[in-house]
Amino acid sequence: MEFNYTIIYSKRKTATISVERDREIIVRVPEGLSKKKINEIILSKEKWLLEKLNHNQKYNPHPSNKEFVSGETLIYLGRNYQLQIVQKPVQNVVFDRRFIISKYNQANANKLFKDWYKSKAIEKIKPITKKYAKHLGVEYKEIKISEMKYRWGSCTKGGNLLFNWRIIKAPSYVVEYVVVHELAHLIEHNHSEDFWNIVSIQLPNFDKAKEWLKQNGEILEIDF
Ligand SMILES: [Zn+2]
């Protein structure tokens, strides 16, 4: 059995393996540990890993339960807004203290809303990332908004930042936290005490955001 996994080297004495919500396997190992040794560790945990990876219930996405009819609500930046279906042929999604779409677009609403949320996500996340990257003195390459279902954000070794468009359903302070979290990983690749210190200096009340995600994580896993 071949496993795909990401290795994170750091100044630590022991190795740990975890399976993230998107089924990515992360191995955290002491600096200098050989690839061969790491592979041995992975294989010694094969049974456990297969169990984790096949645990469908936990990882399955939820289907969207929206019918896109007048009176339904959609969440945006932590608040619920009503949807109104109008008879006129309005283009795309109009947002004006409520969501408006044309009845002609009702069948296509799922895609329209996804596009709308994605464009809002990039519009809101870009300036926040720029601001906190400056505060932290870190540089990043690109910001991408993605379809990933189980994580709010991630960063690559090359300095690209990836954010789940669904995060834009959360209140602004939660969006800020997710951005700062990923930027802090450009300094500390793990969740060490140093990492949380970096986050808390930028966002002293980050616990509140973490709690929000914990309480509302589920609604961010469905599309709308
Ligand atoms: Zn993290």
Side-chain angles (χ1 to χ4, degrees):
M1 173 78 195
E2 278 272 326
F3 291 104
N4 277 323
Y5 52 87
T6 303
I7 308 169
I8 298 174
Y9 295 97
S10 64
K11 288 193 178 69
R12 57 186 302 144
K13 289 203 174 73
T14 54
T16 63
I17 306 175
S18 62
V19 178
E20 305 291 301
R21 287 169 74 82
D22 62 351
R23 301 187 192 204
E24 186 185 5
I25 302 170
I26 308 261
V27 209
R28 294 177 168 84
V29 295
E31 282 170 349
L33 196 70
S34 71
K35 282 266 164 67
K36 190 169 169 275
K37 193 82 203 151
I38 294 168
N39 211 31
E40 276 172 31
I41 295 169
I42 291 282
L43 288 176
S44 75
K45 291 277 182 190
E46 185 173 348
K47 196 166 167 266
W48 179 83
L49 281 169
L50 285 172
E51 249 163 49
K52 278 260 172 189
L53 292 168
N54 291 324
H55 196 301
N56 284 323
Q57 202 125 42
K58 189 178 170 192
Y59 295 106
N60 261 0
H62 306 256
S64 171
N65 55 358
K66 290 278 181 279
E67 290 170 56
F68 299 103
V69 291
S70 283
E72 271 185 333
T73 58
L74 289 108
I75 188 168
Y76 173 56
L77 289 175
R79 288 185 60 182
N80 279 306
Y81 294 95
Q82 279 213 339
L83 174 64
Q84 193 187 350
I85 308 294
V86 293
Q87 303 299 312
K88 307 180 282 188
V90 289
Q91 279 220 318
N92 301 326
V93 173
V94 175
F95 179 67
D96 182 16
R97 283 165 293 157
R98 65 202 152 144
F99 287 107
I100 299 163
I101 61 165
S102 165
K103 69 168 182 180
Y104 301 104
N105 281 329
Q106 229 167 342
N108 195 27
N110 206 74
K111 188 187 179 304
L112 279 189
F113 271 103
K114 204 176 264 194
D115 289 346
W116 187 85
Y117 274 98
K118 281 181 180 172
S119 72
K120 285 291 163 187
I122 197 81
E123 183 188 313
K124 301 280 176 195
I125 287 170
K126 265 192 174 166
I128 298 172
T129 310
K130 207 173 160 185
K131 173 182 154 186
Y132 283 103
K134 207 174 158 190
H135 288 187
L136 290 163
V138 293
E139 277 180 30
Y140 56 93
K141 275 195 192 132
E142 247 189 286
I143 301 172
K144 284 181 191 160
I145 300 299
S146 86
E147 263 298 327
M148 53 189 171
K149 279 204 165 80
Y150 312 100
R151 292 160 86 185
W152 313 127
S154 70
C155 66
T156 68
K157 282 211 183 74
N160 287 320
L161 300 167
L162 217 63
F163 295 103
N164 186 331
W165 62 266
R166 294 174 186 85
I167 196 62
I168 209 66
K169 294 198 245 173
S172 299
Y173 71 90
V174 176
V175 180
E176 285 203 347
Y177 161 69
V178 171
V179 169
V180 170
H181 184 117
E182 293 314 322
L183 287 171
H185 275 318
L186 295 174
I187 305 170
E188 286 286 330
H189 300 289
N190 43 40
H191 292 134
S192 60
E193 208 174 308
D194 286 348
F195 171 84
W196 292 114
N197 272 335
I198 293 166
V199 174
S200 73
I201 289 165
Q202 299 304 318
L203 303 170
N205 297 320
F206 77 95
D207 271 347
K208 211 179 134 204
K210 270 182 91 174
E211 191 53 35
W212 193 94
L213 283 173
K214 214 167 142 192
Q215 299 291 331
N216 299 278
E218 286 246 313
I219 60 159
L220 296 181
E221 284 177 13
I222 55 171
D223 275 354
F224 306 110

